Amino acid sequence: EQSFLKELIKEQKNEITAHHIYKKLAQRIKSSENKVILQAISVDEIKHYQKLKEITEVELRPDMLKVYFFYYLSCNYFFILA
C-alpha cells in the first residue's frame, strides 16, 4: 500500500507540473484556437491533481525546472506549436 501511495503522489506531482506547463504555454500562444486547447488541457490537469490530492491528502508544488524547461523549448522551437 505504501508503494501505491508513492505512485499516486508521483502522478499528482506530474499533474500539477503539467497544469503549469500548459497554462504557461497558453499564455504565450497567439493563435486563439491553440490557446483555447492548451487552456482546456491545463484545466483538466488541475482537476486530475485535485482528485489525487483528495486521495493522498498531500499538497504538492509543481516541478518548476520542468515548467521552465518546456517553456524554454517552446520559445526556441515555437514553430512546432504554431
Side-chain angles (χ1 to χ4, degrees):
E1 187 172 311
Q2 192 69 5
S3 65
F4 181 68
L5 182 61
K6 280 184 179 181
E7 287 299 315
L8 286 179
I9 290 172
K10 181 179 172 184
E11 189 54 37
Q12 183 182 348
K13 178 89 166 180
N14 289 337
E15 297 291 343
I16 192 67
T17 300
H19 161 70
H20 283 274
I21 290 169
Y22 288 117
K23 183 178 175 184
K24 197 155 188 60
L25 291 176
Q27 292 169 348
R28 185 176 189 293
I29 299 287
K30 291 185 176 145
S31 161
S32 62
E33 186 176 311
N34 290 338
K35 182 184 287 280
V36 168
I37 291 168
L38 290 171
Q39 288 171 335
I41 295 170
S42 173
V43 168
D44 285 344
E45 297 295 343
I46 197 66
K47 287 178 184 176
H48 300 157
Y49 166 80
Q50 297 197 350
K51 280 288 184 193
L52 288 167
K53 183 178 151 189
E54 289 174 15
I55 297 167
T56 64
E57 299 178 348
V58 175
E59 180 82 33
L60 296 172
R61 296 179 136 186
D63 180 342
M64 292 310 290
L65 184 61
K66 277 187 185 176
V67 172
Y68 288 115
F69 174 74
F70 281 101
Y71 185 74
Y72 168 80
L73 284 180
S74 78
C75 289
N76 290 301
Y77 302 102
F78 184 75
F79 62 90
I80 294 171
L81 296 174

